[in-house]
């Protein structure tokens, strides 16, 4: 555990006692703070009491007297669509609001050991980029830790050494509120619409991501520039025509004398001062299928280069990367048919990227639709032989796909997998890429992916 510094003797409220919240409470107490804990659920309050924390409802009169800071879990809204009552009370009382990411960065400079930190955000690909970078570093013999929105809660890490590298995946929920954001390397993968209700629209969503670069000023900024927001952010960070503090990443053609990492037609290329210095053929790397994973590889490559790794070390790590569960995960091949679990494709853009990665697709899709509809998928449906639609509103989802794709209303995963397997032939891919949230049928995208894996495994038992 990393003790939180700067709160010795202070009274701090921790709101939300899930994984990150309870860990934050322990880390604050280890740093000398007096911790008051609250969760809207009785189970969370009971867990805190069992560990000796004082439980207090911060919305009660006088409950915030003497409190310096309220630390909230990332899933709790603090502004849009409306602040949680406890956060509203804290703001009205002049109590600072922070989260565990802010506490982590605040605590880094208190010891003799100061690790390097790479923080990765973006709409899609940040989990794979984070896991891929962590894998590349460990394969190269570097001591690396994976935390944040993936792996362990950041304050749950053992105190790191000076030679360590901490790789953080950060969601917009985390970057939006953290009062301290000072990574050595910051990565912005891309931006597509997501969580718009939480951020008050697309501009608010981008602003939440941008804070990672604006608050502390990273030594190196790695920015995907294929969307206007990324191009704008790179322009803001760059201070000269040749500025090695900014590495631009693209799936298209980039020019200029700056530091560039691109992937075109499956080839990754690194260019500096107008000269190519390294290239890798990504097309035969099984753990990184498709253009979206090629972008992830570019971001991880750039971060590893910023940390001083040689191209040959990075290429070896890319080639040995096994992939992440639920993210373009090849789980089986039977009778020439490949089964791929991309349950993390919870929005339209992520699903579109998955559809571009394979030919002749039997597509399992559906769930709780997000704002914006499914129109952005239409240009990518030519590769779909048939869509097998799951979810409580499968009929409406199928209609939204339009008349150009043949659909099969399956509703549940077992039916979808069985029908897709029966229809498929050699050379085809049965792909779970839902383009929707899971909460109509599952409590997480992980549970949905696990159900898919189990249904595919059951095929072999018949």
């Amino acid at each position: 555990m990393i003790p939180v510094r700067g709160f010795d003797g202070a009274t701090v409220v921790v709101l939300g006692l899930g994984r990150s919240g309870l860990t934050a409470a322990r880390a604050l107490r280890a740093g000398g703070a007096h911790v008051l804990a609250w969760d809207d659920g009785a189970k969370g309050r009971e867990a805190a009491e069992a560990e000796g924390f004082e439980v207090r409802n911060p919305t009660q009169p006088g409950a915030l007297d003497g409190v310096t800071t309220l630390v909230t879990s990332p899933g709790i809204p603090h502004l849009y669509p409306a602040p949680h009552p406890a956060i509203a009370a804290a703001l009205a009382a002049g109590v600072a609001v922070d989260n565990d990411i802010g506490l982590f960065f605040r605590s880094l400079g208190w010891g003799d050991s100061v690790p390097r930190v790479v923080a990765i955000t973006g709409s899609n690909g940040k989990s794979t980029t984070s896991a891929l970078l962590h894998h590349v570093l460990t394969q190269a013999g570097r001591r690396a830790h994976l935390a944040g929105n993936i792996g362990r809660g950041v304050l749950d890490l053992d105190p790191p050494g000076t030679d360590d590298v901490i790789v953080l995946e950060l969601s917009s929920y985390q970057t939006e509120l953290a009062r301290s954001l000072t990574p050595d390397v910051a990565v912005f993968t891309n931006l597509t619409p997501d969580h718009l209700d939480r951020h008050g629209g697309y501009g608010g969503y981008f602003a939440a991501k941008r804070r990672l670069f604006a608050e502390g000023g990273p030594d190196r900024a790695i920015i995907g520039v294929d969307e206007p927001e990324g191009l704008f952010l790179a322009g803001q960070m760059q201070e000269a025509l040749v500025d090695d503090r900014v590495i631009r990443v693209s799936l298209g053609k980039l020019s200029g004398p700056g530091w560039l990492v691109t992937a075109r037609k499956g080839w990754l290329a690194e260019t500096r001062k107008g000269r190519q210095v390294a290239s890798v053929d990504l097309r035969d790397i099984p753990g990184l299928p498709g253009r979206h994973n090629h972008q992830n590889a570019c971001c991880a490559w750039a971060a590893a280069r910023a940390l001083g790794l040689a191209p040959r070390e990075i290429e070896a790590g890319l080639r040995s990367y096994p992939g992440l569960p639920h993210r373009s995960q090849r789980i089986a091949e039977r009778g020439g048919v490949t089964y791929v679990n991309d349950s993390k494709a919870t929005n339209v853009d992520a699903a579109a990227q998955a559809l571009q990665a394979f030919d002749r697709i039997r597509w399992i899709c559906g769930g709780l639709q997000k704002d914006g509809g499914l129109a952005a998928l239409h240009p990518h449906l030519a590769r779909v032989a048939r869509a097998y639609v799951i979810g409580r509103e499968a009929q409406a989802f199928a209609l939204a796909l339009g008349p150009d794709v043949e659909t099969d209303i399956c509703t549940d995963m077992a039916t979808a997998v069985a029908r897709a397997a029966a229809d498929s032939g050699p050379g085809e891919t049965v792909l779970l890429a839902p383009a929707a949230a899971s909460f109509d049928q599952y409590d997480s995208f992980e549970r949905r992916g696990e159900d898919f894996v189990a249904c595919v495994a059951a095929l072999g038992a018949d």
Side-chain angles (χ1 to χ4, degrees):
M1 177 185 299
I2 298 174
V4 174
R5 304 301 182 186
F7 291 93
D8 190 11
T11 300
V12 180
V13 172
V14 175
L15 175 66
L17 300 172
R19 184 191 68 160
S20 65
L22 203 52
T23 298
R26 297 181 189 123
L28 281 159
R29 182 167 61 184
H34 174 218
V35 178
L36 307 175
W38 182 254
D39 193 288
D40 290 339
K43 185 177 180 180
R45 298 194 297 270
E46 290 166 1
E49 286 180 326
E51 294 195 26
F53 291 106
E54 179 182 348
V55 172
R56 183 189 297 180
N57 186 343
T59 64
Q60 297 300 310
L64 294 173
D65 292 350
V67 172
T68 63
T69 304
L70 183 146
V71 175
T72 181
S73 293
I76 299 174
H78 59 271
L79 185 56
Y80 302 113
H84 184 281
I87 296 178
L91 295 172
V95 173
V97 179
D98 205 346
N99 61 19
D100 63 329
I101 301 301
L103 299 182
F104 163 76
F105 279 111
R106 175 172 177 155
S107 302
L108 273 185
W110 286 73
D112 294 331
S113 297
V114 181
R116 302 191 75 182
V117 179
V118 181
I120 298 168
T121 195
S123 297
N124 299 308
K126 56 185 179 293
S127 295
T128 296
T129 300
S130 300
L132 178 57
L133 176 60
H134 177 260
H135 175 79
V136 167
L137 290 167
T138 54
Q139 291 296 110
R142 301 290 186 93
R143 181 175 165 83
H145 312 268
L146 185 62
N149 205 43
I150 187 174
R152 300 170 67 180
V154 66
L155 294 172
D156 194 39
L157 295 174
D158 294 331
T162 298
D163 295 331
D164 292 7
V165 178
I166 297 176
V167 180
L168 294 182
E169 180 199 336
L170 297 182
S171 71
S172 57
Y173 293 6
Q174 293 168 311
T175 58
E176 183 177 41
L177 193 59
R179 295 173 67 87
S180 179
L181 284 168
T182 54
D184 298 279
V185 179
V187 181
F188 177 89
T189 59
N190 51 55
L191 196 77
T192 59
D194 208 357
H195 309 305
L196 301 189
D197 58 337
R198 172 64 182 259
H199 298 295
Y202 203 44
Y205 180 47
F206 174 52
K209 300 287 189 184
R210 181 182 173 277
R211 288 191 76 247
L212 180 61
F213 299 82
E215 291 302 306
D219 294 337
R220 282 261 163 71
I222 297 162
I223 302 172
V225 296
D226 288 339
E227 294 85 30
E229 294 82 6
L231 196 61
F232 173 79
L233 180 59
Q236 283 199 313
M237 300 299 295
Q238 185 173 325
E239 295 188 358
L241 189 59
V242 179
D243 187 348
D244 278 353
R245 294 174 304 170
V246 178
I247 306 176
R248 298 183 180 219
V249 168
S250 177
L251 290 175
K253 184 177 181 180
L254 292 180
S255 60
W259 195 345
L260 315 174
V261 180
T262 60
R264 300 181 66 212
K265 298 181 179 180
W267 280 89
L268 181 151
E270 177 186 356
T271 305
R272 300 183 71 172
K273 297 180 180 179
R275 183 174 66 88
Q276 182 173 300
V277 297
S279 66
V280 177
D281 186 353
L282 301 173
R283 294 171 296 178
D284 61 347
I285 299 180
L288 297 169
R291 294 177 74 252
H292 59 308
N293 277 311
H294 296 171
Q295 183 186 54
N296 300 333
C298 287
C299 290
W301 178 284
R305 291 288 279 151
L307 293 169
L309 268 66
R312 58 179 175 77
E313 294 179 294
I314 305 172
E315 180 177 357
L318 297 182
R319 295 197 176 281
S320 62
Y321 177 62
L324 268 179
H326 315 299
R327 297 162 177 88
S328 296
Q329 178 191 17
R330 295 173 184 253
I331 60 170
E333 184 174 336
R334 292 189 173 90
V337 178
T338 302
Y339 294 81
V340 176
N341 169 23
D342 202 347
S343 183
K344 185 61 170 67
T346 59
N347 59 48
V348 166
D349 184 74
Q353 297 290 349
L355 291 174
Q356 294 176 67
F358 306 99
D359 296 317
R360 299 173 60 190
I361 298 168
R362 301 285 173 175
W363 179 33
I364 299 176
C365 56
L368 192 63
Q369 286 193 58
K370 296 186 176 181
D371 292 341
L374 304 179
L377 285 171
H378 293 170
H380 309 290
L381 297 179
R383 302 183 183 200
V384 176
R386 180 177 289 177
Y388 303 80
V389 188
I390 62 174
R392 293 179 184 172
E393 299 180 357
Q395 184 72 47
F397 194 100
L399 287 172
L401 290 175
D404 294 332
V405 60
E406 184 178 341
T407 59
D408 188 342
I409 307 301
C410 299
T411 306
D412 64 87
M413 185 68 74
T415 302
V417 170
R419 291 180 181 176
D423 292 344
S424 59
E428 294 189 332
T429 298
V430 175
L431 170 67
L432 171 65
S438 61
F439 302 122
D440 60 333
Q441 291 183 307
Y442 304 92
D443 61 7
S444 67
F445 73 84
E446 291 96 342
R447 295 290 179 270
R448 178 171 58 191
E450 289 163 4
D451 191 18
F452 175 73
V453 172
C455 291
V456 172
L459 295 173
D462 294 335

